[in-house]
Amino acid sequence: MGEVELSCRAYVKMYLHCCLFPRCSINGLLLSSSTAGDAVCVTDCVPLLHSHLSLAPITQLALTQVDVWCSQTQQRIVGYYQANACVSDSSPTPCALKIADKISEQFENAVLLMLDGSKMSADYRVPPIVMYERKDSRWTLKDKHTIMLRQWEETRAIAGQMLDSGDHSLLVDFDSHLDDITKDWTNQKLNNKIAELASPANGSM
Amino acid sequence: MASVSEMYDVGWEEMRDKLRKWREENCRNSEQIVDVGEELISEHASKLGDDIWIIYEQVMIAALDCSRDDLALTCLQELEKQFSDSHRVKRLSGMRLEALERYDEANKDYDAILQDDPTNTAARKRKISILKAQGKSAEAIRELNEYLEMTHPQLYQSTYCFPCHFHSYGKAAFCLEELMMTNPHNHLYCEQYAEVKYTQGGLENLELSRKYFAQALRLNNRNMRALFGLYMSASHIAASPKVSAKVKKDNMKYAAWAATQINRAYKLAGRGTKENKCSMKAVEEMLESMQITMS
């Protein structure tokens, strides 16, 4: 299987999603705006739920809506992420496997990403993620060397900075959108903020 | 760093009242409770009178939530000094041990309470929480069953989430049925029940789910999950080859009605904000595409 690259925007939003709901299991979809050969480039993510992850209707609804949005914006769903409420266990739950299976039906090189809550504190210098790929109808651990985060230090700094300034409260996941449909689950505002912090014109970077 | 009273220009009475409000509404805004509570305790303890004990309890629990064991221990020690033999304080001591992941010691505290008072539901709940935190799903479900057999209505409230977490949808449905009986006007329980039924799948469950989504909407016509749920369950029933022509027709009507309501809600939401244009367009297209597959 090929390489997987995780963009700053995708990582920061997943990280902020975890920080916004530290006591819940959370999940979301990984998106890509490019189809460069064998490599999968995760350019964005859509945070989905923070409650009752294993119930079907809202998950199905979210998958359909994100699918539609993707076709409108030349993106595709290339994977799924989840962080478990129970920090000591970062293995994929049955519902994670189910959703990831569904995604891999539409995209062969789909990835399943689990966030490891126990490694998310500022002391850890390594990305707190565990990735799985589909081999012989089973989800197996991906070789760490095929996972790339360009400019990891910068990404990590941006995530930390946004958490400190309380920006995680700006994040909207699908669950929050259903509570108030004026909220935007595509998180354009947050995307702009991340882009600002990541741009080379920003002197502090 | 500025104090809470400086930052928000509030006096100690307002801080005390805010804490009370959060207590009454059962809010879990632990960071805020710690900020306000810590200051109140350290600077105005003498003015609080008997309120101080319940504030110690509230702040202690919030402190555990924020990994502030120093603060939690201080509060606990004050409570232990004042109420040396209390079950309530013993439970707090157990909760602190849980937060430190010293589960065996925590269980000892809870077992001691249950020996004295076997009906103490708080201690039972904590024991089940420990099993859940340790990932011991089978045991947690077993304890849950024993617990539910005591038929205490308030128990179901916090326990229906557990079966869902462990994929025991049948048990989740059972808990929700009990909750709906005692809280017939609560639209959230109807809607959650409908979601569980939908997840269980099969035509019969889908029809039940549609009924309960509809019921949730009758109780609260702004419940978006119920609206989408009604749309999806009715659409699936209408698309099923096993239903009669009449059932198909009826469900297409329900689905069409739901779609109109959804569209209307999104149009209303879209006014005045450019922000959610993307999500609005996604919903419009989704409804269109599902219509096509149905006809």
Side-chain angles (χ1 to χ4, degrees), chain A residues 52 54 56 60 175 177 179, chain B residues 65 169 192 198-199 225 266:
Chain A
H52 305 293
S54 57
Q60 277 182 17
D175 245 343
H177 167 78
D179 288 334
Chain B
D65 224 8
Y169 299 118
Q192 285 285 287
Y198 185 106
T199 308
R225 286 183 180 82
Y266 272 87

Side-chain angles (χ1 to χ4, degrees), chain B residues 268-286:
Chain B
L268 260 167
R271 291 218 191 105
T273 64
K274 268 166 76 182
E275 250 184 29
N276 62 341
K277 278 259 157 19
C278 306
S279 25
M280 254 187 71
K281 276 187 78 188
V283 168
E284 272 173 29
E285 255 206 49
M286 176 196 85

Side-chain angles (χ1 to χ4, degrees), chain A residues 86-97:
Chain A
C86 186
V87 142
S88 56
D89 177 17
S90 63
S91 53
T93 56
C95 101
L97 296 171

Side-chain angles (χ1 to χ4, degrees), chain A residues 16-82:
Chain A
L16 295 179
H17 194 199
C18 290
C19 296
L20 186 56
F21 303 106
R23 300 153 192 128
C24 309
S25 291
I26 52 119
N27 67 5
L29 299 172
L30 302 172
L31 311 181
S32 175
S33 57
S34 73
T35 45
D38 221 14
V40 175
C41 192
V42 178
T43 48
D44 201 354
C45 70
V46 174
L48 290 187
L49 308 176
H50 56 267
S51 64
H52 305 293
L53 271 60
S54 57
L55 290 181
I58 306 302
T59 305
Q60 277 182 17
L61 177 69
L63 275 165
T64 315
Q65 279 207 32
V66 174
D67 222 3
V68 168
W69 181 60
C70 280
S71 56
Q72 293 168 345
T73 51
Q74 285 84 48
Q75 298 181 86
R76 61 186 309 181
I77 301 176
V78 296
Y80 169 85
Y81 75 83
Q82 181 168 312

Side-chain angles (χ1 to χ4, degrees), chain B residues 127-147:
Chain B
K127 286 185 64 99
I128 296 175
S129 294
I130 291 179
L131 289 170
K132 189 178 172 205
Q134 294 173 312
K136 294 183 177 163
S137 47
E139 286 180 64
I141 299 269
R142 212 176 345 114
E143 289 285 328
L144 225 98
N145 278 330
E146 274 182 42
Y147 186 50

